[in-house]
Amino acid sequence: MSGLAPTTLPGRPASLRRRAAALLHRRPLVRLGLLLSAPMLWLVVAYLGALFAMLLTAFWSTDTFTGEVDRTFTWQNFQDLWTGEVYRTIALRSVAVAAGVTVLCLAIAFPMAFYMAKVARPRWRPYLLIAVLTPLWAAYLVKVYAWRVILADDGLLNWALGPLGARGPGYGLTATVLVLTYLWLPYMILPIYTGLERLPDSLLDASGDLGAGTLRTLRRVVAPMVFPSIAAGSLFTFSLSLGDYITVKIVGGRGQLIGNVVYDNIGAANDLPFAAAVATVPVVVMLVYIAAVRRTGALEEL
Amino acid sequence: MQTKRLGVAFAALSLLALSACGGGDGSSTASGQGFKVPNIPAQKALGAGEGEVNIVNWAGYAEDGSNDKSVDWVHPFEKQTGCKVNSKVAGTSDEMVALMKTGEYDAVSASGDASLRLIAGGQVAPVNTALVPNYADVFAGLKNKPWNSIKGVAYGIPHGRGANLLMWRSDKVATAPDSWSAVFDQGSAYKGHVTAYDSPIYIADAALYLMSAKPDLGIKDPYALDQKQFDAAVALLKQQKANVGEYWSDYTKEVQAFKSGDSVIGTTWQVIANLVAAEKTKVGTVLPKEGATGWSDTWMVAAKAEHPNCAYKWLDWIVSPKVNAQVAEWFGEAPANSKACAETSDKSFCTTFHAADEAYFSKVHFWTTPIAQCLDGRTDAKCVDYAQWTRAWTEIKG
């Protein structure tokens, strides 16, 4: 080991590049700082900055007539949010819809992913994967409007159910949950599929050999091992559903979710501060959700 | 540590930037309508065109042939004046107000629920009507109205007007209704198939119905509601909600809902009724006996317009008889220019849309922004302002 950097040798004029390299070599903190500065800047300015600006705006108020934002500190927005019964109802409804979508997605995605990863022949797997991904190729609005036509009074669903004497749900919250489930299903299937693929087949065989039935194997072997994947998938479906306001606008009938309240307050009422205050609700809900997932240890295993 | 400090620095920066954006004009006068009007002079004379003009408008107000080749009054304007038109379509009055605040636009086609807010906010200047020759032919019933003038000073050029009508599917609704009670008190007959306009301004529709249904409430103007009257209207809408299938704000959505039968009765615009009929669905429309809410649009010029001369040229162009007729026919509304009726391709158009029928429009209460000072002239009561209308609308939808 020479121990000495070339710049310290006497009589040898070092180029700027060399000197910089030496500096970086001697000071690991500077090295780390430079390496991380670009992503850090992105994180702080674009991401946290936007969140911070939103939070700041939430403490302002709007002159409702001229629409000018009054930049004096006030708790009024949060007070209105907290005391208004309607906002609690809407927040709870949004969480319920997001939870419903997540549960439905899980119920459909798990068997599908299991079939893809463990039952189907390996050479079919890429094709099945492509089949799961195809809906993502179509535009979001096209898919939702297609569902609007399907769910219409004279639509496909009522036509198909007609002979059975049944009727579709029509526009409303049920329709919203249904369409959101359809939209976000791939985001649940993919992580579970990856999780199951990593699960060695031999474990399933061993469980069977030791006398565990199918259900017990699922519960004691498969479920714990793919739990992190399920948690990851549920983070996607839950957060995507919680923020959605277009689907409910198109197939939700007279229903409204938290996203609509935010949208209406920006678009219709021009009340940016109140919209910002409302927008903190899903942020808080998601933080709680992520904290809960983290407690189960699922995040560490990802 | 580094992150924290950066965050603080950013916070300080953003605060600085935001506070720098504030401020406004110092001088102002009272409008006599309960708000201050900034003193902004009207343009004195017209100069040469600036080569372009940026406008905010409702869909269908600045057609350049891209929707229908035969519907084009933008290109002829550009050819004649040398002003290139950059049009920005807004979906709601509130969006228009927000867009005008950016200061990037020269003119706007504001409805009555936006115009006063623009005036009070100092975003628009009075209009020198002498510089708009075609103003002379505008129906007298549209000039110097509370939503387009302050104390006799015109703030814009009337564009056209229309009413929010009651529409129903003739095959699903047995007897043709002639009253708004069909969607309010008797709405349960069409439970789940009633539709209503998705905007706080719809509260005025309920208030309008209460004017005749509950005269003891003493509502004189559906946009001037004191707390008691307002609560009654909100209660009526909450009761109506049980029968509502969906609220509409996107007109294509309403066309489809009526076609499929998801909606069978509710409020509409004439243009929607025409589109539904074109889809071979039988619908009827009526201006109910209680009257109706409606809109009357005004072209206004931005206070800090970068292209004021082109903006004035556009104002004169859009209300010129031929173009005004084209716009009115395309959008489905009554034209503002009295000479436009001779220029429509459908000669009965002005009769269908009651263009000169002041008796018809006397039953129409045009959209106006509700403010704390009662618009109906009451001084002993305090009215509910638009902010509370907005919050109440969220509550009604629940």
Side-chain angles (χ1 to χ4, degrees):
Chain A
M1 249 180 93
S2 70
L4 285 174
T7 38
T8 54
L9 288 176
R12 249 170 96 179
S15 70
L16 190 68
R17 215 175 119 185
R18 276 180 164 251
R19 251 188 297 171
L23 181 78
L24 287 180
H25 181 76
R26 264 178 295 139
R27 303 221 184 273
L29 266 182
V30 176
R31 198 170 60 208
L32 190 71
L34 277 178
L35 196 67
L36 287 183
S37 63
M40 267 310 203
L41 207 69
W42 171 256
L43 182 77
V44 171
V45 175
Y47 200 79
L48 294 178
L51 260 181
F52 173 78
M54 186 185 89
L55 204 66
L56 189 69
T57 314
F59 290 104
W60 289 338
S61 60
T62 307
D63 179 333
T64 48
F65 187 63
T66 59
E68 301 291 346
V69 172
D70 179 9
R71 296 186 178 87
T72 39
F73 183 89
T74 169
W75 282 100
Q76 192 59 43
N77 291 322
F78 287 99
Q79 239 164 43
D80 290 349
L81 196 63
W82 187 249
T83 50
E85 200 184 322
V86 65
Y87 301 112
R88 227 168 315 162
T89 317
I90 294 172
L92 287 178
R93 182 188 301 144
S94 306
V95 172
V97 164
V101 170
T102 303
V103 169
L104 261 178
C105 274
L106 180 62
I108 302 171
F110 190 83
M112 271 180 86
F114 194 83
Y115 178 84
M116 283 163 63
K118 295 287 167 224
V119 184
R121 285 162 194 238
R123 71 190 172 93
W124 280 105
R125 281 177 199 166
Y127 299 107
L128 288 171
L129 210 58
I130 291 170
V132 167
L133 288 174
T134 34
L136 295 180
W137 298 354
Y140 171 101
L141 273 182
V142 173
K143 286 184 283 187
V144 183
Y145 267 107
W147 273 100
R148 182 172 164 88
V149 176
I150 293 172
L151 292 165
D153 211 38
D154 61 354
L156 195 66
L157 193 65
N158 280 343
W159 174 79
L161 291 176
L164 307 171
R167 285 182 69 75
Y171 301 143
L173 275 188
T174 320
T176 310
V177 172
L178 197 72
V179 175
L180 285 175
T181 304
Y182 165 80
L183 283 175
W184 311 138
L185 190 61
Y187 297 98
M188 186 62 112
I189 294 181
L190 290 179
I192 299 184
Y193 170 77
T194 339
L196 283 171
E197 239 195 348
R198 279 187 307 200
L199 180 78
D201 288 348
S202 53
L203 280 184
L204 302 183
D205 294 337
S207 173
D209 289 346
L210 290 170
T214 315
L215 274 180
R216 191 164 180 166
T217 306
L218 267 183
R219 203 155 46 89
R220 303 295 296 272
V221 180
V222 179
M225 302 238 359
V226 295
F227 185 76
S229 311
I230 293 176
S234 77
L235 270 178
F236 285 130
T237 55
F238 192 84
S239 63
L240 287 170
S241 309
L242 197 64
D244 192 273
Y245 64 96
I246 300 173
T247 300
V248 68
K249 200 110 182 138
I250 298 173
V251 298
R254 58 187 191 216
Q256 58 179 349
L257 298 180
I258 212 153
N260 301 93
V261 179
V262 176
Y263 179 81
D264 286 348
N265 271 292
I266 296 172
N270 195 28
D271 192 346
L272 211 58
F274 189 68
V278 177
T280 55
V281 174
V283 173
V284 170
V285 171
M286 272 326 286
L287 285 178
V288 170
Y289 191 84
I290 291 173
V293 171
R294 214 191 126 189
R295 281 214 123 182
T296 65
L299 288 185
E300 283 79 4
E301 286 175 46
L302 272 183
Chain B
M1 203 48 210
Q2 199 186 9
T3 326
K4 217 178 211 170
R5 247 178 274 156
L6 250 172
V8 171
F10 177 75
L13 248 176
S14 61
L15 264 176
L16 248 173
L18 286 167
S19 55
C21 302
D25 301 289
S27 64
S28 60
T29 48
S31 64
Q33 284 166 312
F35 59 90
K36 291 252 170 38
V37 182
N39 284 335
I40 298 166
Q43 193 161 343
K44 297 277 187 319
L46 268 193
E50 294 88 351
E52 63 174 341
V53 60
N54 303 324
I55 58 173
V56 176
N57 56 279
W58 292 105
Y61 276 19
E63 289 295 316
D64 59 0
S66 52
N67 285 319
D68 184 333
K69 270 195 193 122
S70 62
V71 181
D72 180 2
W73 51 86
V74 165
H75 285 124
F77 171 76
E78 291 177 340
K79 216 167 162 190
Q80 189 183 315
T81 62
C83 301
K84 194 184 169 314
V85 176
N86 305 312
S87 145
K88 166 81 188 163
V89 172
T92 62
S93 290
D94 306 281
E95 202 183 335
M96 284 191 172
V97 175
L99 283 171
M100 286 310 285
K101 268 184 209 301
T102 64
E104 288 169 19
Y105 299 92
D106 304 307
V108 57
S109 64
S111 292
D113 51 339
S115 51
L116 288 188
R117 291 160 63 189
L118 290 170
I119 295 171
Q123 271 92 39
V124 293
V127 167
N128 184 348
T129 54
L131 301 180
V132 184
N134 283 309
Y135 183 73
D137 300 323
V138 168
F139 286 112
L142 285 170
K143 287 181 182 172
N144 281 327
K145 290 294 166 188
W147 60 86
N148 60 21
S149 65
I150 300 289
K151 289 184 174 170
V153 177
Y155 268 78
I157 304 295
H159 167 101
R161 54 186 167 171
N164 298 313
L165 304 170
L166 177 63
M167 175 163 78
W168 67 92
R169 277 274 295 253
S170 328
D171 52 341
K172 301 258 168 96
V173 176
T175 47
D178 69 336
S179 160
W180 288 113
S181 67
V183 292
F184 289 116
D185 289 339
Q186 277 126 46
S188 54
Y190 316 103
K191 197 172 173 64
H193 297 286
V194 174
T195 190
Y197 186 53
D198 189 1
S199 164
I201 209 76
Y202 185 69
I203 294 172
D205 285 57
L208 176 98
Y209 173 65
L210 289 175
M211 276 167 76
S212 54
K214 282 198 184 136
D216 48 318
L217 279 169
I219 301 176
K220 293 271 174 343
D221 176 340
Y223 306 99
L225 307 174
D226 61 34
Q227 197 63 49
K228 193 172 149 230
Q229 297 165 336
F230 184 75
D231 291 344
V234 169
L236 179 64
L237 288 166
K238 280 185 176 163
Q239 184 194 319
Q240 182 201 32
K241 189 201 160 200
N243 303 320
V244 169
E246 70 178 1
Y247 295 97
W248 68 274
S249 56
D250 169 1
Y251 76 94
T252 50
K253 205 173 118 183
E254 158 133 298
V255 170
Q256 194 256 330
F258 264 88
K259 200 183 151 218
S260 67
D262 284 289
S263 298
V264 302
I265 192 162
T267 57
T268 192
W269 299 335
Q270 186 64 49
V271 62
I272 296 175
N274 297 351
L275 287 170
V276 176
E279 299 265 0
K280 302 202 177 12
T281 304
K282 285 203 170 68
V283 288
T285 54
V286 70
L287 181 80
K289 61 183 182 199
E290 293 92 356
T293 57
W295 72 93
S296 180
D297 294 343
T298 307
W299 280 99
M300 308 179 112
V301 176
K304 291 173 187 147
E306 266 180 71
H307 315 100
N309 295 323
C310 274
Y312 267 90
K313 284 179 206 273
W314 172 259
L315 259 55
D316 191 45
W317 176 259
I318 200 75
V319 292
S320 62
K322 199 152 184 226
V323 176
N324 201 221
Q326 275 180 295
V327 182
E329 275 195 300
W330 174 250
F331 189 80
E333 63 187 342
N337 191 315
S338 55
K339 288 186 179 158
C341 292
E343 301 283 346
T344 52
S345 59
D346 170 9
K347 288 303 162 205
S348 61
F349 182 81
C350 276
T351 328
T352 314
F353 285 87
H354 308 272
D357 192 348
E358 294 304 332
Y360 174 91
F361 280 111
S362 70
K363 289 167 80 180
V364 176
H365 296 264
F366 295 115
W367 283 343
T368 312
T369 310
I371 51 177
Q373 184 180 340
C374 297
L375 294 164
D376 58 3
R378 277 183 293 172
T379 47
D380 56 339
K382 195 171 178 295
C383 279
V384 179
D385 69 9
Y386 193 61
Q388 282 169 277
W389 282 49
T390 314
R391 301 273 169 100
W393 186 242
T394 304
E395 224 166 278
I396 289 162
K397 291 200 291 175

